[in-house]
Each structure stands twice: as structure tokens, then as C-alpha cells.
Amino acid sequence: MTDIALNESLGSSYDQARERLRNALEAAGRAQDAATLLAVSKTKPAAMIRLAWQLGQREFGENYLQEALEKQTELADLEGIVWHFIGPLQSNKTRSVAEHFDWVHSVDRLKIAKRLSEQRPAHLAPLNICLQVNISREESKAGVLPEELEELAKEVAALPNMHLRGLMAIPAPAEGVDAQRQPLAALREALNSLQSNLPNAPLDTLSMGMSDDLEAAILEGATLVRLGTAIFGARQSA
């Protein structure tokens, strides 16, 4: 694909993604600035992220650490870019994540949170944390179980160098908006409960909703929606 064609293709898909979010917010009776589009750029080249930035996108989500670090180096000149780590996080990767990201969405145990807290450089702003909840109780999915969430949240909220901002989930696939809304509503209710029990934590974020369930997520109060293919296109085969 030529540079001109890539520009046109990405511009069109980005506009469509933004329009879909706007329509979902309007249908839900929410303000147009109530939810932010998080562009999931995993496996996509830095050049495509640069194009999206030029179109006005600022929040980007990455799953794979080494790939993300290489892109961050190449894109270091982009002002206002915000990097979200949204993939599984192992202990041996926490230092690099703490040093190079603004948000982490995939914290599901205290050990990881403590390492991020200890390894966050003092000259950087506190790291924004979302706790990943296994809201559908899938054995194959990461995430803290709902009944264990409050205890973990209290411990994470007390750690220095980070702000516990909210919750993230990837519910099991479901057919139809009504079915999709059920686990998302449970996540919203879990956040509401934490807001009551942890009034001093800046709990304002629900990271939920992807291409298949964006509308349902917006109806249930999502503040960050994660779109990848809808913006950047399908992953290129090797």
C-alpha cells in the first residue's frame, strides 16, 4: 500500500471509529467527552501510530513490551502521546513498564502492583492503574475474581507512585447488546462499590468495550474503549 493510500485508509477508518463512538455516546445520553478512544496499536508499525497521532489520536494501547519500547523510541518526538500497557504483565517486565508507560490496565495481583510502585521513577507522574477483573470467571482469562477485588483494590490504593484509577475487563463473547451488557454492568457496579469504600482514590475509569461490544460498554458507563482493527485494520500476516 502506498503512503497516500495508507493515509486515506487510516483516515477513513479512524473517522468511522470516532463516529461510532460519538453515536454510541449520543444513544446512551452521555456527553461526547464522557469516553475516550484508546487505539490498540499492537503489531502495527510506528508509522501507522504516527499517522493516527497526526489525525488527533493521543492514547495508544500496547500488549507486547519489547515491540512497544521500540515504537516509543521511534516516536519520541510526538508530543502529548499517552502510552497504555494493556497486555499480560509478568514480574520480569514490570521495571520497563513502570519506566515507559503512563497507564497499566492489566494489574491483577498485589505482587505486580508493588513492583510497579517500587520501580516507578521519581521524576515521572504517578502511574495510572486499572485492576483487571475476570468478570466472566473464565479459566483462560487473567484477572482478579470479583469477590477478591475489594481487598486487592485497598492494598493497591495505598501504594506510593501510582494512582488506582479504575477497572478493566474483557468479558466472554456474547450475542446481542442485552447479553453483552450483563458482565459490563457487573463491572460498573464493582467500580461503584469501590468508589464508596475508597473515597480518596481517583476511581473514575472503566476500561471496557472493544469492536464487538462498544455500544453495550458505552451504555454501561465505559470511559475508555479499546479499538484496534477498527482503526488500523486487520493484523498483517507474516
Side-chain angles (χ1 to χ4, degrees):
M1 185 180 289
T2 67
D3 289 346
I4 293 175
L6 178 60
N7 269 312
E8 292 177 348
S9 175
L10 182 59
S12 175
S13 59
Y14 182 64
D15 285 345
Q16 290 174 15
R18 287 175 58 85
E19 181 67 15
R20 184 179 172 192
L21 178 58
R22 284 194 293 267
N23 291 340
L25 286 164
E26 183 177 357
R30 299 176 63 194
Q32 285 295 308
D33 61 355
T36 298
L37 181 62
L38 176 57
V40 178
S41 45
K42 64 178 181 179
T43 78
K44 300 302 177 182
M48 293 187 77
I49 298 175
R50 185 176 294 276
L51 285 175
W53 181 89
Q54 291 170 347
L55 293 169
Q57 180 64 26
R58 292 295 180 267
E59 315 269 340
F60 293 89
E62 292 283 334
N63 288 59
Y64 309 119
L65 180 58
Q66 190 56 44
E67 174 192 327
L69 295 177
E70 292 170 3
K71 293 177 188 177
Q72 289 174 352
T73 298
E74 188 171 344
L75 300 170
D77 60 306
L78 299 186
E79 294 184 2
I81 195 165
V82 180
W83 293 103
H84 298 244
F85 191 81
I86 60 177
L89 186 52
Q90 300 167 340
S91 296
N92 63 344
K93 297 179 179 179
T94 54
R95 182 174 296 279
S96 290
V97 170
E99 292 174 346
H100 295 283
F101 285 82
D102 304 288
W103 286 74
V104 182
H105 291 229
S106 47
V107 174
D108 62 359
R109 55 198 188 278
L110 185 59
K111 176 184 177 181
I112 294 295
K114 284 182 174 179
R115 289 178 65 88
L116 291 170
S117 173
E118 293 165 358
Q119 295 166 348
R120 182 67 169 176
H123 69 277
L124 295 180
L127 189 61
N128 296 296
I129 298 294
C130 288
L131 299 180
Q132 183 172 355
V133 184
N134 188 349
I135 202 68
S136 298
R137 299 178 180 275
E138 296 177 90
E139 290 186 6
S140 61
K141 288 274 180 71
V144 59
L145 291 174
E147 62 269 21
E148 299 170 356
L149 173 61
E150 184 173 335
E151 180 179 354
L152 177 61
K154 288 179 178 178
E155 292 173 315
V156 172
L159 294 173
N161 307 318
M162 58 173 53
H163 286 153
L164 177 58
R165 294 293 299 273
L167 305 178
M168 185 272 265
I170 307 172
E175 291 294 330
V177 171
D178 288 344
Q180 291 172 344
R181 289 182 67 174
Q182 293 179 17
L184 300 171
L187 193 71
R188 172 178 50 77
E189 291 165 2
L191 182 65
N192 290 342
S193 177
L194 290 182
Q195 288 169 333
S196 297
N197 294 325
L198 295 170
N200 295 323
L203 288 160
D204 57 5
T205 301
L206 276 175
S207 171
M208 61 187 194
M210 297 185 288
S211 296
D212 291 340
D213 61 355
L214 180 148
E215 284 75 18
I218 290 298
L219 285 169
E220 292 300 339
T223 63
L224 278 174
V225 292
R226 309 182 301 272
L227 294 183
T229 301
I231 297 173
F232 296 107
R235 178 179 179 178
Q236 298 296 315
S237 57

